[in-house]
Amino acid sequence: MVGLSRLSLIATIAAVSAQFQKPLVSQSEDVLLEADKTSNKPLVDTEALQAHITAESLLKHAEALYNIAKSSEEEFGHPTRVIGSEGHRRSLEYVASEIDRLGDYYKYSTQAFPAVMGQVFQSRLVLGHSVPKSATPMSLTPPTTGKEPVYGDLVLVDNEGCDASDYPDEVSGKVAFIKRGTCSFGAKSELAGGAGAIAAVVFNSNADGLSGTLGVPSPNHVATFGLSGKDAQPIIEQLKAGKVVDSIAFIDSVVNTINTTNIIIQTVEGDPENCVMLGAHSDSVGEGPGINDDGSGSLTLLEVATHLTKFSVKNCVRFAWWAGEEEGLLGSDYYVATLPEEENQKIRLFMDYDMMGSPNFAYQIYNATNAVNPTGSEQLRDLYVDWYKSKGLNYTFIPFDGRSDYDAFIRNGIPGGGIATGAEGIKTKEEELMFGGKAGDWYDPCYHQLCDDVGNVNTTAWVINTQLVAHSVATYAASFEGFPTREITRAAGVHEQDTLYHGRYLVR
């Protein structure tokens, strides 16, 4: 929608109606007049835009965001900005109010959508005479019947449990024991439920533990645990030897649908047929305030959007603050899924900015290649490489594996990429030499924890990466010369086949 005032935008966010707001496609006469005003400004220049980025401004925003997270204390007992919380609602209001300060440089849009979220309160799995420590309830699992323990023998499912024929008749009224592989955890749980199982256990194909998500709820989903291959192996041997292994499964959980909102802004000026798009997520996990994850990315976008108003652009620039990323990329999924084909084609590339200032950082670039992703992804990757090199900074490639909001864009044919500074991964000795910090520790020791507050952000990394974000915006807002034209292909098949994650959760 065009020309939303601060009050009407905030009112829309507060109401969170379930009506989809169409993408920004039309320009009114007033908007075209505003474009004439902005065209008198100098064309965006990367060095000039980068020069406006300061630690002081970023930290001021971070302090405000942390105070906003504290508004959830009464409900959650600690600061958080998880979707559905007061902290998240006020986070959206903060972004909206800051955008309103920028005048008519941007068109505003809100996009409300239904978001599925779940919570597990208690769980326990007993297999034979043991209580395996690796047993982990799947995200979005339903509870056991009546939220009470259920009892049944284990039944080893054939193959990898991806076909109804893999589930023998005797699984009815018992607990399905299923090997990980090929199909999604949700499909396995649904098939087990359809066969009459009272619960399901999905065990890993290697010795490691296994946690993931069932994804979109199904009436046939049953209470489902993940289990390490190490804990599963003796059970498998007993079952294959014809022995009976009884089990007790208990999960007390809820799966709810709430309404939440994406915020999208687009420059009034610039070719609307060739749009630069970038995004970050506005929500945190329930466990903490999420100042690095992904307050840092959200505020980076806000800072770049603020200073871009000093310049004119040749190509339109679209910023998005996604809701529900931590619940499984819900906001970005919804946006791309509801995008008409002609609007899809207008997005020349999407850039994802998630966790810009991890305290034990590495400068990470998603290793997006044209061989397995939409053409143009590799050119974006190389832009980041060239910039780090020009500043004499080291960098490292990380998998482009579906763990953030770029996923829906890649799956639907839109070139993508991004940068990050690390989450729960372990910094190597080589990276300690490249970036400093401490080898053997997580890149972000407060990842998804209460301590992800203002003190958890490395300002040096945050400023440098915000300058790089400014560079990426300035480069493509000025020209797409040398960048591949969009292809008609809707999906990246190889990417989809190889991707095991959707957001922070394993899906298969």
Side-chain angles (χ1 to χ4, degrees):
M1 68 183 68
V2 178
L4 262 177
S5 71
R6 173 187 174 186
L7 290 177
S8 62
L9 179 60
I10 292 175
T12 303
I13 291 167
V16 198
S17 68
Q19 183 178 2
F20 167 60
Q21 308 293 328
K22 290 185 178 180
L24 301 163
V25 295
S26 62
Q27 290 188 324
S28 67
E29 185 175 343
D30 290 343
V31 167
L32 292 173
L33 288 172
E34 184 61 33
D36 288 339
K37 295 178 188 176
T38 59
S39 63
N40 293 325
K41 298 177 180 179
L43 179 64
V44 62
D45 172 79
T46 180
E47 295 299 332
L49 184 57
Q50 291 177 57
H52 288 288
I53 306 303
T54 67
E56 290 76 17
S57 183
L58 290 169
L59 288 171
K60 181 181 177 181
H61 285 307
E63 292 281 1
L65 206 60
Y66 181 73
N67 287 329
I68 285 169
K70 291 171 69 175
S71 66
S72 296
E73 288 178 334
E74 182 176 349
E75 181 181 1
F76 289 83
H78 59 263
T80 182
R81 298 183 303 105
V82 67
I83 58 169
S85 70
E86 183 69 7
H88 185 246
R89 185 183 69 81
R90 292 190 184 186
S91 294
L92 296 177
E93 289 182 352
Y94 182 76
V95 171
S97 64
E98 291 297 309
I99 291 169
D100 186 67
R101 297 174 188 272
L102 306 180
D104 295 327
Y105 188 86
Y106 294 103
K107 298 176 287 181
Y108 303 84
S109 174
T110 58
Q111 183 187 44
F113 64 94
V116 177
M117 61 185 302
Q119 187 171 1
V120 176
F121 303 103
Q122 297 182 71
S123 68
R124 186 174 177 86
L125 181 65
V126 180
L127 302 178
H129 301 293
S130 67
V131 179
K133 292 182 178 180
S134 70
T136 306
M138 291 282 181
S139 173
L140 300 182
T141 178
T144 46
T145 302
K147 299 185 178 181
E148 297 288 343
V150 294
Y151 303 82
D153 295 340
L154 289 178
V155 176
L156 185 62
V157 170
D158 293 336
N159 304 312
E160 293 173 332
C162 294
D163 190 274
S165 62
D166 294 334
Y167 295 79
D169 292 341
E170 56 265 31
V171 81
S172 182
K174 298 179 181 178
V175 176
F177 205 56
I178 314 166
K179 183 179 180 181
R180 175 191 179 189
T182 307
C183 60
S184 69
F185 302 134
K188 295 175 193 289
S189 182
E190 185 173 20
L191 287 166
I198 57 173
V201 179
V202 181
F203 59 88
N204 209 345
S205 51
N206 56 46
D208 296 339
L210 182 62
S211 63
T213 182
L214 299 187
V216 178
S218 161
N220 282 335
H221 278 167
V222 291
T224 305
F225 287 88
L227 189 70
S228 72
K230 180 180 179 181
D231 284 337
Q233 190 55 42
I235 304 296
I236 296 169
E237 292 173 359
Q238 292 177 60
L239 293 174
K240 286 185 174 180
K243 296 181 180 179
V244 174
V245 180
D246 57 10
S247 66
I248 305 171
F250 167 59
I251 295 178
D252 178 6
S253 65
V254 293
V255 178
N256 294 320
T257 299
I258 65 169
N259 287 324
T260 189
T261 305
N262 293 326
I263 294 177
I264 301 156
I265 65 172
Q266 180 175 309
T267 54
V268 169
E269 192 185 24
D271 181 1
E273 302 296 313
N274 290 281
C275 209
V276 185
M277 189 167 186
L278 61 159
H281 64 90
S282 61
D283 60 315
S284 74
V285 293
E287 290 82 0
I291 301 304
N292 186 39
D293 183 15
D294 182 31
S296 62
S298 284
L299 299 178
T300 286
L301 260 64
L302 197 56
E303 191 73 356
V304 173
T306 297
H307 296 300
L308 186 61
T309 62
K310 299 174 175 67
F311 303 93
S312 66
V313 295
K314 287 187 176 178
N315 299 311
C316 73
V317 182
R318 187 179 301 174
F319 297 81
W321 286 265
W322 310 119
E325 190 270 357
E326 296 291 5
E327 308 304 321
L329 315 184
L330 303 182
S332 54
D333 278 356
Y334 187 85
Y335 176 81
V336 178
T338 56
L339 202 61
E341 175 64 24
E342 61 271 20
E343 294 303 315
N344 173 302
Q345 288 294 316
K346 294 175 183 178
I347 303 173
R348 292 293 299 275
L349 79 165
F350 174 75
M351 303 178 289
D352 183 70
Y353 297 120
D354 193 350
M355 302 181 68
M356 297 291 97
S358 298
N360 196 28
F361 70 90
Y363 293 126
Q364 300 176 337
I365 303 172
Y366 290 121
N367 192 17
T369 64
N370 291 342
V372 294
N373 299 289
T375 301
S377 302
E378 191 166 324
Q379 281 76 10
L380 174 59
R381 182 201 69 177
D382 292 346
L383 175 137
Y384 299 133
V385 169
D386 292 342
W387 189 87
Y388 281 129
K389 284 182 176 179
S390 74
K391 303 297 181 181
L393 297 170
N394 293 314
Y395 63 88
T396 186
F397 289 129
I398 57 172
F400 201 43
D401 57 5
R403 289 193 63 175
S404 198
D405 285 307
Y406 56 79
D407 191 58
F409 292 85
I410 294 297
R411 290 175 186 270
N412 287 274
I414 299 170
I419 56 174
T421 51
E424 81 281 27
I426 305 295
K427 175 169 276 190
T428 66
K429 280 287 186 183
E430 181 182 5
E431 288 174 331
E432 182 182 77
L433 294 173
M434 294 170 67
F435 307 107
K438 185 178 180 182
D441 283 0
W442 286 11
Y443 300 109
D444 183 352
C446 289
Y447 176 66
H448 286 178
Q449 298 172 60
L450 184 58
C451 55
D452 186 9
D453 53 23
V454 179
N456 188 50
V457 182
N458 184 296
T459 53
T460 299
W462 193 8
V463 168
I464 285 173
N465 278 331
T466 302
Q467 290 172 340
L468 176 49
V469 173
H471 172 66
S472 66
V473 169
T475 298
Y476 296 120
S479 175
F480 276 116
E481 183 179 356
F483 194 85
T485 56
R486 277 295 307 277
E487 298 175 342
I488 302 300
T489 308
R490 282 287 291 176
V494 177
H495 170 85
E496 189 138 8
Q497 293 168 17
D498 291 346
T499 299
L500 300 178
Y501 285 90
H502 191 61
R504 59 183 169 127
Y505 297 111
L506 274 171
V507 293
R508 60 184 175 90

